[in-house]
Amino acid sequence: MNVSPSSAAQAAREAVAARLTDLRKTAGLKAYEVAARCGWHKSKVSRLENAVTLPEAADIRAYLKACGAQEHEAELIDRIRNADQLYVDWKRLHGTGIRRIHESTVPLYQRTRLFRVYCSNVVPGLLQTHGYAQALLSTISDFQGTPNDASEAATARLDRSRVIYEGGHRFVLLVEEAVLRYRFGDRAVMAGQLGSLLEVMSLPSVAFGVIPSTAARSMWPLETFMVFDEGRVQVETLSAEISITSETEIAVYAKAFAALQRLAVFGHDARALITDAINILG
Protein backbone atom coordinates (compact mmCIF):
# COMPACT_ATOMS: atom_id res chain seq x y z
CA MET A 1 0.00 0.00 0.00
CA ASN A 2 2.82 2.42 0.81
CA VAL A 3 4.33 4.21 -2.19
CA SER A 4 8.11 4.33 -2.22
CA PRO A 5 9.18 7.94 -1.65
CA SER A 6 11.94 7.56 -4.22
CA SER A 7 9.58 6.41 -6.98
CA ALA A 8 9.16 9.96 -8.34
CA ALA A 9 12.92 10.18 -8.79
CA GLN A 10 13.02 6.80 -10.48
CA ALA A 11 10.09 7.72 -12.72
CA ALA A 12 11.92 10.86 -13.84
CA ARG A 13 15.03 8.82 -14.63
CA GLU A 14 12.96 6.31 -16.59
CA ALA A 15 11.32 9.12 -18.58
CA VAL A 16 14.76 10.38 -19.65
CA ALA A 17 15.81 6.85 -20.58
CA ALA A 18 12.64 6.26 -22.60
CA ARG A 19 13.12 9.52 -24.49
CA LEU A 20 16.68 8.58 -25.43
CA THR A 21 15.52 5.18 -26.65
CA ASP A 22 12.76 6.73 -28.75
CA LEU A 23 15.21 9.14 -30.40
CA ARG A 24 17.64 6.32 -31.20
CA LYS A 25 14.90 4.22 -32.77
CA THR A 26 13.61 7.21 -34.72
CA ALA A 27 17.13 7.59 -36.12
CA GLY A 28 17.04 3.93 -37.17
CA LEU A 29 20.07 3.02 -35.09
CA LYS A 30 20.92 0.03 -32.93
CA ALA A 31 22.25 0.58 -29.43
CA TYR A 32 25.71 -0.73 -30.38
CA GLU A 33 25.84 1.73 -33.30
CA VAL A 34 25.21 4.68 -30.97
CA ALA A 35 27.88 3.35 -28.61
CA ALA A 36 30.39 3.09 -31.46
CA ARG A 37 29.67 6.64 -32.66
CA CYS A 38 30.13 7.95 -29.11
CA GLY A 39 33.26 5.93 -28.48
CA TRP A 40 31.61 4.11 -25.57
CA HIS A 41 31.44 0.49 -24.52
CA LYS A 42 28.11 -0.88 -25.75
CA SER A 43 26.97 -1.56 -22.17
CA LYS A 44 26.87 2.18 -21.46
CA VAL A 45 24.00 2.75 -23.89
CA SER A 46 22.15 -0.12 -22.25
CA ARG A 47 22.64 1.42 -18.81
CA LEU A 48 21.40 4.80 -20.02
CA GLU A 49 18.37 3.40 -21.82
CA ASN A 50 17.37 1.21 -18.86
CA ALA A 51 17.68 4.04 -16.33
CA VAL A 52 20.50 2.27 -14.51
CA THR A 53 22.69 5.35 -14.93
CA LEU A 54 21.46 8.93 -15.08
CA PRO A 55 23.35 10.56 -17.99
CA GLU A 56 25.45 13.65 -17.51
CA ALA A 57 25.06 16.64 -19.84
CA ALA A 58 28.09 15.51 -21.89
CA ASP A 59 26.50 12.07 -22.35
CA ILE A 60 23.30 13.67 -23.62
CA ARG A 61 25.19 15.79 -26.12
CA ALA A 62 27.19 12.84 -27.46
CA TYR A 63 24.14 10.57 -27.64
CA LEU A 64 22.04 13.16 -29.48
CA LYS A 65 24.86 13.95 -31.90
CA ALA A 66 25.14 10.25 -32.70
CA CYS A 67 21.40 10.16 -33.40
CA GLY A 68 21.35 13.44 -35.33
CA ALA A 69 18.89 14.84 -32.80
CA GLN A 70 20.80 17.76 -31.32
CA GLU A 71 17.66 19.92 -31.34
CA HIS A 72 16.48 18.02 -28.22
CA GLU A 73 19.57 18.89 -26.18
CA ALA A 74 18.06 21.66 -24.02
CA GLU A 75 14.94 19.61 -23.26
CA LEU A 76 16.83 16.51 -22.15
CA ILE A 77 19.51 18.31 -20.14
CA ASP A 78 16.72 20.10 -18.26
CA ARG A 79 15.08 16.74 -17.61
CA ILE A 80 18.19 15.13 -16.17
CA ARG A 81 18.79 18.11 -13.92
CA ASN A 82 15.25 17.84 -12.57
CA ALA A 83 15.61 14.08 -12.10
CA ASP A 84 18.92 14.58 -10.30
CA GLN A 85 17.32 17.01 -7.86
CA LEU A 86 14.44 14.74 -6.87
CA TYR A 87 16.52 12.39 -4.74
CA VAL A 88 19.50 13.98 -3.00
CA ASP A 89 21.47 12.20 -0.29
CA TRP A 90 22.12 14.15 2.89
CA LYS A 91 25.92 14.01 2.55
CA ARG A 92 25.61 15.82 -0.76
CA LEU A 93 23.12 18.36 0.63
CA HIS A 94 25.18 18.96 3.77
CA GLY A 95 28.61 18.68 2.17
CA THR A 96 29.57 22.22 3.21
CA GLY A 97 27.40 22.30 6.34
CA ILE A 98 23.67 22.50 7.00
CA ARG A 99 23.23 26.30 7.12
CA ARG A 100 23.40 26.72 3.36
CA ILE A 101 20.50 24.34 2.60
CA HIS A 102 18.29 26.18 5.09
CA GLU A 103 19.05 29.50 3.43
CA SER A 104 18.42 28.09 -0.05
CA THR A 105 14.89 26.95 0.84
CA VAL A 106 13.68 30.32 2.16
CA PRO A 107 11.94 31.22 -1.16
CA LEU A 108 9.96 27.94 -1.06
CA TYR A 109 8.80 28.71 2.48
CA GLN A 110 7.94 32.30 1.59
CA ARG A 111 5.70 31.36 -1.34
CA THR A 112 3.92 28.45 0.36
CA ARG A 113 0.47 29.32 1.66
CA LEU A 114 -0.42 26.02 3.37
CA PHE A 115 2.12 23.85 5.18
CA ARG A 116 1.15 20.33 6.21
CA VAL A 117 3.90 18.76 8.33
CA TYR A 118 4.11 15.32 9.94
CA CYS A 119 7.00 14.29 12.20
CA SER A 120 7.32 10.95 13.91
CA ASN A 121 10.77 11.47 15.42
CA VAL A 122 11.56 15.14 16.15
CA VAL A 123 9.81 18.45 16.72
CA PRO A 124 9.01 20.00 13.31
CA GLY A 125 11.78 22.32 12.14
CA LEU A 126 9.31 25.19 11.86
CA LEU A 127 8.70 25.00 15.62
CA GLN A 128 12.19 24.29 16.92
CA THR A 129 13.96 26.55 19.39
CA HIS A 130 17.58 27.46 18.78
CA GLY A 131 18.86 25.18 21.54
CA TYR A 132 16.85 22.17 20.35
CA ALA A 133 17.76 22.77 16.70
CA GLN A 134 21.45 23.13 17.53
CA ALA A 135 21.51 19.89 19.53
CA LEU A 136 19.64 18.01 16.79
CA LEU A 137 21.66 19.40 13.89
CA SER A 138 24.93 18.71 15.68
CA THR A 139 23.86 15.08 16.11
CA ILE A 140 22.96 14.88 12.42
CA SER A 141 26.28 16.37 11.29
CA ASP A 142 28.25 14.00 13.48
CA PHE A 143 26.34 10.99 12.15
CA GLN A 144 26.76 12.04 8.53
CA GLY A 145 30.39 13.04 8.91
CA THR A 146 29.70 16.46 7.40
CA PRO A 147 30.98 19.86 8.62
CA ASN A 148 29.36 20.72 11.94
CA ASP A 149 27.94 24.23 11.69
CA ALA A 150 25.04 23.46 14.05
CA SER A 151 24.89 26.87 15.72
CA GLU A 152 24.82 28.81 12.42
CA ALA A 153 22.45 26.27 10.88
CA ALA A 154 20.08 26.58 13.85
CA THR A 155 20.06 30.35 13.40
CA ALA A 156 19.27 29.90 9.69
CA ARG A 157 16.50 27.43 10.58
CA LEU A 158 14.89 29.95 12.92
CA ASP A 159 15.23 32.72 10.33
CA ARG A 160 13.45 30.50 7.81
CA SER A 161 10.72 29.73 10.36
CA ARG A 162 9.72 33.37 10.71
CA VAL A 163 7.02 32.69 8.11
CA ILE A 164 4.88 31.49 11.04
CA TYR A 165 4.64 35.07 12.29
CA GLU A 166 4.36 36.88 8.96
CA GLY A 167 0.72 36.27 8.10
CA GLY A 168 -0.52 34.91 4.80
CA HIS A 169 0.47 31.34 5.70
CA ARG A 170 -1.37 28.48 7.43
CA PHE A 171 0.25 25.57 9.26
CA VAL A 172 -1.06 22.18 10.26
CA LEU A 173 1.66 20.31 12.14
CA LEU A 174 1.36 16.79 13.55
CA VAL A 175 3.73 14.85 15.79
CA GLU A 176 3.62 11.46 17.41
CA GLU A 177 3.44 11.72 21.21
CA ALA A 178 6.87 10.10 21.51
CA VAL A 179 8.38 13.21 19.89
CA LEU A 180 7.59 15.09 23.12
CA ARG A 181 9.73 12.61 25.06
CA TYR A 182 12.74 12.20 22.75
CA ARG A 183 15.40 14.39 24.36
CA PHE A 184 17.77 16.56 22.35
CA GLY A 185 19.98 18.79 24.44
CA ASP A 186 19.82 18.94 28.23
CA ARG A 187 16.77 19.26 30.45
CA ALA A 188 16.67 23.05 30.12
CA VAL A 189 16.75 22.81 26.30
CA MET A 190 13.90 20.29 26.23
CA ALA A 191 11.84 22.26 28.74
CA GLY A 192 12.33 25.37 26.63
CA GLN A 193 11.32 23.52 23.48
CA LEU A 194 8.16 22.07 25.00
CA GLY A 195 7.25 25.41 26.52
CA SER A 196 7.70 27.04 23.13
CA LEU A 197 5.22 24.57 21.62
CA LEU A 198 2.62 25.72 24.14
CA GLU A 199 3.20 29.32 23.04
CA VAL A 200 3.14 28.68 19.30
CA MET A 201 -0.12 26.74 19.60
CA SER A 202 -1.87 30.00 20.47
CA LEU A 203 -1.15 31.51 17.04
CA PRO A 204 -4.30 31.64 14.89
CA SER A 205 -2.39 30.42 11.84
CA VAL A 206 -1.07 27.30 13.59
CA ALA A 207 -2.88 24.02 14.26
CA PHE A 208 -0.58 21.77 16.27
CA GLY A 209 -1.73 18.22 16.86
CA VAL A 210 -0.31 15.33 18.85
CA ILE A 211 -1.12 11.72 18.02
CA PRO A 212 -1.46 9.96 21.40
CA SER A 213 0.51 6.77 21.90
CA THR A 214 -2.80 5.19 22.96
CA ALA A 215 -4.59 6.08 19.71
CA ALA A 216 -6.22 3.16 17.90
CA ARG A 217 -4.15 3.32 14.70
CA SER A 218 -5.91 3.56 11.37
CA MET A 219 -2.64 4.85 9.88
CA TRP A 220 0.82 3.64 10.82
CA PRO A 221 3.69 6.01 11.72
CA LEU A 222 5.54 7.23 8.63
CA GLU A 223 8.77 8.98 7.77
CA THR A 224 8.82 12.74 8.32
CA PHE A 225 7.24 14.63 5.42
CA MET A 226 6.05 18.12 4.49
CA VAL A 227 3.40 19.04 1.95
CA PHE A 228 3.87 22.49 0.42
CA ASP A 229 0.48 23.66 -0.87
CA GLU A 230 -0.56 21.16 -3.54
CA GLY A 231 2.63 21.19 -5.59
CA ARG A 232 5.44 19.53 -3.64
CA VAL A 233 6.16 17.00 -0.92
CA GLN A 234 9.53 16.67 0.80
CA VAL A 235 10.25 13.37 2.50
CA GLU A 236 13.14 12.86 4.90
CA THR A 237 14.68 9.40 5.13
CA LEU A 238 17.84 8.39 6.95
CA SER A 239 19.96 8.70 3.82
CA ALA A 240 18.28 11.29 1.63
CA GLU A 241 15.78 14.07 1.06
CA ILE A 242 13.24 13.23 -1.62
CA SER A 243 11.28 15.95 -3.44
CA ILE A 244 8.02 14.72 -4.95
CA THR A 245 6.17 16.72 -7.59
CA SER A 246 4.09 13.96 -9.16
CA GLU A 247 0.37 14.72 -8.65
CA THR A 248 -0.36 11.04 -8.01
CA GLU A 249 2.26 10.73 -5.27
CA ILE A 250 1.36 14.08 -3.70
CA ALA A 251 -2.20 12.78 -3.44
CA VAL A 252 -0.94 9.69 -1.59
CA TYR A 253 0.83 11.83 0.99
CA ALA A 254 -2.15 14.18 1.31
CA LYS A 255 -4.35 11.15 1.98
CA ALA A 256 -1.92 9.84 4.60
CA PHE A 257 -1.75 13.27 6.24
CA ALA A 258 -5.54 13.46 6.47
CA ALA A 259 -5.63 10.01 8.10
CA LEU A 260 -2.93 11.00 10.61
CA GLN A 261 -4.72 14.26 11.35
CA ARG A 262 -7.86 12.34 12.32
CA LEU A 263 -5.79 10.47 14.93
CA ALA A 264 -4.38 13.65 16.48
CA VAL A 265 -5.68 15.69 19.39
CA PHE A 266 -5.53 19.47 19.38
CA GLY A 267 -6.12 22.34 21.76
CA HIS A 268 -6.60 21.42 25.42
CA ASP A 269 -5.86 17.72 24.92
CA ALA A 270 -2.62 18.43 23.04
CA ARG A 271 -1.59 20.93 25.72
CA ALA A 272 -2.16 18.28 28.39
CA LEU A 273 0.21 15.86 26.63
CA ILE A 274 2.88 18.55 26.29
CA THR A 275 2.49 19.52 29.94
CA ASP A 276 2.85 15.85 30.97
CA ALA A 277 6.10 15.67 28.98
CA ILE A 278 7.39 18.80 30.76
CA ASN A 279 6.52 17.34 34.15
CA ILE A 280 8.38 14.12 33.37
CA LEU A 281 11.55 16.18 32.84
CA GLY A 282 11.49 16.84 36.57
Side-chain angles (χ1 to χ4, degrees):
M1 179 176 177
N2 203 12
V3 176
S4 166
S6 63
S7 58
Q10 183 59 27
R13 291 169 180 262
E14 290 172 357
V16 172
R19 184 68 172 133
L20 291 175
T21 304
D22 286 344
L23 290 171
R24 174 179 60 75
K25 290 181 177 180
T26 298
L29 296 171
K30 301 293 185 182
Y32 71 85
E33 292 175 313
V34 171
R37 293 185 181 188
C38 293
W40 298 338
H41 189 279
K42 61 182 179 182
S43 64
K44 180 168 181 174
V45 173
S46 177
R47 291 197 303 272
L48 295 179
E49 294 187 355
N50 287 285
V52 175
T53 302
L54 185 68
E56 297 181 358
D59 297 329
I60 291 291
R61 294 187 184 99
Y63 190 104
L64 294 179
K65 183 178 180 180
C67 296
Q70 293 97 320
E71 68 273 18
H72 300 287
E73 180 181 311
E75 167 208 340
L76 280 166
I77 288 177
D78 185 56
R79 284 198 189 192
I80 62 171
R81 285 174 178 163
N82 288 337
D84 192 41
Q85 291 169 1
L86 287 174
Y87 188 102
V88 187
D89 67 79
W90 290 118
K91 275 203 168 186
R92 178 175 160 194
L93 277 174
H94 297 163
T96 58
I98 299 177
R99 176 184 58 81
R100 182 187 60 80
I101 192 64
H102 283 70
E103 293 172 342
S104 70
T105 52
V106 167
L108 172 62
Y109 280 59
Q110 289 288 340
R111 66 175 178 265
T112 299
R113 301 295 97 186
L114 172 62
F115 294 79
R116 284 170 285 177
V117 183
Y118 167 77
C119 289
S120 58
N121 44 22
V122 298
V123 171
L126 281 161
L127 304 182
Q128 290 175 9
T129 63
H130 191 280
Y132 182 98
Q134 181 173 343
L136 172 61
L137 296 173
S138 181
T139 300
I140 290 171
S141 294
D142 290 346
F143 178 82
Q144 294 173 350
T146 52
N148 192 326
D149 62 345
S151 180
E152 296 84 355
T155 298
R157 175 166 286 190
L158 266 66
D159 287 344
R160 186 180 66 180
S161 298
R162 288 177 183 170
V163 291
I164 287 182
Y165 304 98
E166 290 178 352
H169 309 274
R170 292 187 297 121
F171 306 84
V172 184
L173 307 108
L174 309 175
V175 300
E176 300 286 343
E177 183 181 354
V179 166
L180 307 177
R181 311 293 175 89
Y182 295 147
R183 187 176 295 193
F184 292 94
D186 59 22
R187 180 199 173 281
V189 167
M190 277 305 302
Q193 176 62 78
L194 294 172
S196 178
L197 292 179
L198 293 173
E199 295 176 6
V200 174
M201 288 173 67
S202 65
L203 296 174
S205 61
V206 175
F208 180 73
V210 181
I211 301 174
S213 58
T214 55
R217 305 296 303 216
S218 55
M219 188 71 202
W220 58 95
L222 299 172
E223 63 280 346
T224 288
F225 67 91
M226 297 180 66
V227 186
F228 298 87
D229 291 326
E230 305 296 333
R232 178 181 296 270
V233 174
Q234 286 187 350
V235 184
E236 296 182 1
T237 70
L238 178 63
S239 59
E241 177 184 86
I242 298 107
S243 295
I244 295 172
T245 56
S246 160
E247 290 184 8
T248 302
E249 290 199 74
I250 290 172
V252 171
Y253 277 92
K255 179 181 179 181
F257 188 87
L260 291 163
Q261 187 173 348
R262 288 191 291 270
L263 296 174
V265 296
F266 295 82
H268 177 271
D269 291 338
R271 287 180 177 275
L273 291 174
I274 296 170
T275 301
D276 285 345
I278 293 174
N279 292 335
I280 288 173
L281 288 172

